[in-house]
Amino acid sequence: MTVLETTTRKAPPKRREMLTRRERDCLILTGHGHSEKEVALALDISPNTVRVHIENIKRKLGASNKSHALILALLTGEAELKDFDEKVAADAPH
């Protein structure tokens, strides 16, 4: 591998706790396919607050969109696959 390939293939740093609890909640519920309004209802916050949390998540992780943020959250340890199991999905609004 060349030096350029090595530097461009660096994985994001493995960090847990880059995101706040609320940001993580928003990300996980969004990952379940819930709208901003549904996430807001589930967390008892405004849809605008959900948007702000999602934008902060994207900025912190260096993501270009929500899907990218979800993948980076998994890679960095900010979220785990078990966060997306059926029990968590059943607790969210439908």
Side-chain angles (χ1 to χ4, degrees):
M1 226 187 289
T2 67
V3 173
L4 179 59
E5 289 174 326
T6 305
T7 58
T8 58
R9 290 185 179 191
K10 284 184 181 175
K14 291 277 186 188
R15 285 186 259 173
R16 182 106 163 126
E17 305 306 320
M18 189 184 309
L19 303 180
T20 67
R21 180 183 54 83
R22 269 305 202 212
E23 289 169 343
R24 194 172 290 108
D25 292 343
C26 288
L27 183 67
I28 290 167
L29 289 172
T30 299
H32 281 289
H34 298 291
S35 69
E36 289 175 352
K37 185 176 179 180
E38 291 170 329
V39 172
L41 286 170
L43 299 178
D44 197 29
I45 57 179
S46 76
N48 187 58
T49 301
V50 174
R51 276 190 290 282
V52 169
H53 285 319
I54 296 297
E55 287 304 313
N56 286 338
I57 292 164
K58 289 173 13 185
R59 179 183 47 78
K60 287 178 178 182
L61 296 176
S64 55
N65 57 48
K66 288 187 269 190
S67 297
H68 189 204
L70 284 166
I71 292 167
L72 290 174
L74 289 168
L75 289 173
T76 59
E78 290 294 326
E80 298 175 2
L81 286 176
K82 68 179 182 177
D83 295 331
F84 300 95
D85 70 10
E86 293 300 318
K87 181 184 180 308
V88 175
D91 293 339
H94 297 291

